[in-house]
Amino acid sequence: MDLSLARTRTSPAGGVASPTRAGDKPPQVSLVDREGVARGFDHWRGRSLIVNFWATWCAPCRREIPLLERLQIENAADGFQVVGVAVDYRDKVLPYADKMKITYPLLIGEQEALDAAAAFGVEMVGLPFTVFSDAQGRIIAAHIGELTAAEADVILHAVRRVNAGGTTPLQARADIERGLAALTAPRSQS
């Protein structure tokens, strides 16, 4: 896969997308949070972001919430921050977030949230959609579809390596693609 493409590529089962070039910064957009305060992604400057686009009506999005909660809890000490971006109506999101006990920050918007996804270079949004950045704010990977724990481990490992100076964003993206391909590769029988 050409990692410099501006078009998003997906497979029916989800996978890594290339909506931005490795190392690009998240777009300068702002959406309102739970309290109605406008926030941009730069609010979490210095943290590695896991930005998850979701909606209350999206079954894979709802299934993914416990994993995102766990990722936040397990990785906060390493400087990671999950941020949910609800592509939905505020009056639907707030009670749902309370019911699901979502503790990570949420940004909420209808068309504005779709515009934020488009600002990442995504031409057609498939939900859920998750973007991973390093501590310098550079986008390392984007994943379209429901994220699994194994996929998250591969991606977060690569982001940690970038944060430690052990690899570049471009190399990390290639490592992620190889790691995710290995997860889905058929196992040979001995």
Side-chain angles (χ1 to χ4, degrees):
M1 177 182 294
D2 180 350
L3 300 175
S4 64
L5 293 178
R7 299 180 68 97
T8 299
R9 298 179 183 195
T10 64
S11 66
V16 165
S18 298
T20 56
R21 291 183 312 257
D24 282 356
K25 299 281 184 166
Q28 295 298 314
V29 297
S30 74
L31 298 164
V32 295
D33 64 13
R34 286 182 181 189
E35 291 75 36
V37 176
R39 296 206 189 280
F41 299 115
D42 60 347
H43 178 76
W44 296 279
R45 185 175 292 125
R47 299 191 58 83
S48 298
L49 296 181
I50 303 167
V51 180
N52 177 258
F53 289 81
W54 68 287
T56 60
W57 46 262
C58 166
C61 301
R62 294 190 311 261
R63 287 192 305 263
E64 204 175 48
I65 290 171
L67 171 63
L68 295 168
E69 279 291 332
R70 194 172 85 235
L71 292 176
Q72 178 59 54
I73 292 165
E74 292 174 356
N75 296 285
D78 292 334
F80 285 86
Q81 178 63 59
V82 173
V83 178
V85 178
V87 183
D88 210 333
Y89 297 101
R90 184 175 185 76
D91 64 340
K92 304 281 187 215
V93 172
L94 294 177
Y96 188 79
D98 289 343
K99 175 183 168 189
M100 293 300 295
K101 297 180 172 68
I102 297 174
T103 61
Y104 51 84
L106 292 177
L107 301 177
I108 306 165
E110 298 156 28
Q111 183 60 48
E112 299 87 358
L114 288 173
D115 293 345
F120 276 103
V122 178
E123 294 175 3
M124 282 195 322
V125 176
L127 296 177
F129 164 56
T130 308
V131 177
F132 297 81
S133 74
D134 70 358
Q136 293 181 41
R138 299 173 297 187
I139 296 171
I140 304 302
H143 184 278
I144 303 267
E146 186 175 350
L147 186 67
T148 68
E151 291 167 335
D153 288 345
V154 167
I155 296 168
L156 295 179
H157 176 74
V159 172
R160 281 187 180 89
R161 287 192 58 227
V162 172
N163 287 343
T167 192
T168 67
L170 185 60
Q171 183 58 48
R173 188 174 280 186
D175 293 345
I176 290 166
E177 287 183 3
R178 279 191 298 278
L180 295 181
L183 291 177
T184 60
R187 296 177 191 237
S188 60
Q189 295 181 352
S190 310

